[in-house]
Amino acid sequence: MANPQITLITFRVALVVTLIITMYLATAQQTPSVIDNLNDKVNHVLAFYVLAFLADYSAPKVRFNLGKGLTILGYGLLIEVIQYFLPYREFSLFDLAADGVGIAAYAFSQPVVSRFYIFRHR
């Protein structure tokens, strides 16, 4: 089994990097063509599923709960508020709803995810 402290640091660094990349993609004037090829709502669901996963494993002493979920959803709301003030972006409640779907999808799949050997030791 890997060193738990190294694993925890890895998840936390991955969470911070993912938050930064997500914010960049959400506020950039032009998004990479690979991102444009996917449906916008699918992008939101996938991004917030990954953020929920990383947030959960970055704070392993607390199970994934409403507090963790709402914190991540608050990040999604922050992105939407920032986009409201950008002339080339727009605020969308549908995007926020897609973020919530990604978080809920992780919450429902977490019991299955935790059965994979590499994610078993939180």
Side-chain angles (χ1 to χ4, degrees), residues 4-25:
Q5 190 65 23
I6 299 293
T7 303
L8 180 62
I9 291 169
T10 302
F11 276 115
R12 289 180 177 173
V13 168
L15 176 61
V16 170
V17 168
T18 304
L19 288 168
I20 292 168
I21 290 170
T22 302
M23 183 62 75
Y24 170 76
L25 292 173

Side-chain angles (χ1 to χ4, degrees), residues 4 13 15 24 33 48 60 75 80-81 92 98 105-106 109-110 115:
V13 168
L15 176 61
Y24 170 76
S33 60
F48 279 80
Y75 176 72
E80 293 303 320
V81 169
S92 172
Y106 174 73
S109 70
Q110 199 284 327
R115 290 185 182 192

Side-chain angles (χ1 to χ4, degrees), residues 32-52:
S33 60
V34 173
I35 302 296
D36 284 338
N37 289 338
L38 289 175
N39 180 299
D40 180 54
K41 301 309 175 257
V42 172
N43 289 338
H44 281 266
V45 171
L46 291 174
F48 279 80
Y49 184 96
V50 170
L51 287 171

